[in-house]
Amino acid sequence: GAVVSQHPSWVICKSGTSVKIECRSLDFQATTMFWYRQFPKQSLMLMATSNEGSKATYEQGVEKDKFLINHASLTLSTLTVTSAHPEDSSFYICSASWGYEQYFGPGTRLTVT
Amino acid sequence: QQQVKQSPQSLIVQKGGISIINCAYENTAFDYFPWYQQFPGKGPALLIAIRPDVSEKKEGRFTISFNKSAKQFSLHIMDSQPGDSATYFCAAPTTSGTYKYIFGTGTRLKVLA
């Protein structure tokens, strides 16, 4: 199957700082990339959809000014958590779409202290 | 709000047994129904998916059964192994038509050795 990478795999930051997470599709060009958030023992919650060269579409209740998404190319999307607070601590997972199929990255564990 | 109902929430099976997980969905923009397997601390991995031009799809020990009229589909794991112990998520397309999916609540499978 297709390979999607994320970097970093885990990050600890102080409250009020910003953190950038990168998502790359390594062996295919992704028409669309998605960002999810997952709390312990819960399902995947879609945060936003991003298409290369256009503004991201955010799901209801997700603050677009807090979770900045940039989709610079067909293989790279970034999520920046701005002014992070402890309640932003979570597991963030990206996915890249190849037609109907969606392939997930390994996830990034964010801890805000 | 669109939902995918997944059951059971947790499942314990003896090694060699059959694991069955069920999902029910609502209206969708297109017909493509994947199952994902997730190990702790990892991103979900695409396990198997079905296009409803067929009622069943089999890949190794994994089989998807699909009932379009009932809007239900299920995952069967034959000869379950301890290495299959993971959380399984079904997914169904949203009605938005942008390759977005709604995920089920997840089933935590434990296969006893």
Side-chain angles (χ1 to χ4, degrees):
Chain A
V3 181
V4 177
S5 71
Q6 267 184 256
H7 179 80
S9 56
W10 60 271
V11 58
I12 301 173
C13 71
K14 292 189 175 183
S15 186
T17 62
S18 295
V19 174
K20 180 184 285 189
I21 302 170
E22 287 189 352
C23 176
R24 294 181 184 272
S25 56
L26 299 184
D27 52 2
F28 68 103
Q29 293 185 325
T31 52
T32 305
M33 287 186 171
F34 302 88
W35 287 94
Y36 294 82
R37 185 172 181 177
Q38 187 178 36
F39 291 105
K41 298 184 180 180
Q42 292 191 20
S43 188
L44 302 158
M45 184 190 79
L46 179 64
M47 298 175 65
T49 302
S50 76
N51 292 289
E52 184 259 344
S54 60
K55 289 185 178 181
T57 303
Y58 292 82
E59 296 299 304
Q60 192 173 6
V62 177
E63 299 176 60
K64 63 180 182 180
D65 294 331
K66 181 167 189 60
F67 298 100
L68 301 179
I69 293 172
N70 182 269
H71 197 147
S73 73
L74 287 172
T75 59
L76 173 64
S77 176
T78 60
L79 168 69
T80 301
V81 183
T82 63
S83 186
H85 289 96
E87 57 266 29
D88 298 324
S89 298
S90 189
F91 192 51
Y92 292 88
I93 316 172
C94 72
S95 71
S97 179
W98 175 253
Y100 293 130
E101 296 178 346
Q102 204 170 121
Y103 297 95
F104 285 86
T108 296
R109 174 76 57 195
L110 170 63
T111 301
V112 185
T113 62
Chain B
Q1 190 174 0
Q2 192 175 359
Q3 292 184 23
V4 175
K5 296 182 179 180
Q6 184 173 344
S7 63
Q9 190 173 23
S10 63
L11 183 61
I12 300 175
V13 174
Q14 293 287 338
K15 179 182 177 181
I18 302 173
S19 304
I20 302 175
I21 306 171
N22 301 297
C23 278
Y25 64 96
E26 300 171 356
N27 294 327
T28 60
F30 57 91
D31 290 335
Y32 177 83
F33 299 89
W35 283 92
Y36 287 87
Q37 179 188 56
Q38 185 179 31
F39 292 104
K42 305 295 184 184
L46 180 60
L47 186 63
I48 186 172
I50 192 168
R51 294 286 305 275
D53 49 347
V54 296
S55 61
E56 184 176 284
K57 182 175 181 180
K58 183 177 181 179
E59 288 184 1
R61 297 184 294 108
F62 301 92
T63 300
I64 297 179
S65 295
F66 184 80
N67 185 331
K68 187 169 183 175
S69 61
K71 293 185 178 178
Q72 296 177 349
F73 59 110
S74 61
L75 175 68
H76 296 232
I77 305 174
M78 312 299 286
D79 187 26
S80 299
Q81 299 297 312
D84 297 330
S85 298
T87 300
Y88 293 81
F89 293 98
C90 63
T94 68
T95 55
S96 69
T98 55
Y99 296 140
K100 288 180 7 178
Y101 291 87
I102 295 288
F103 285 80
T105 49
T107 296
R108 300 182 74 189
L109 171 65
K110 184 175 178 64
V111 181
L112 301 176

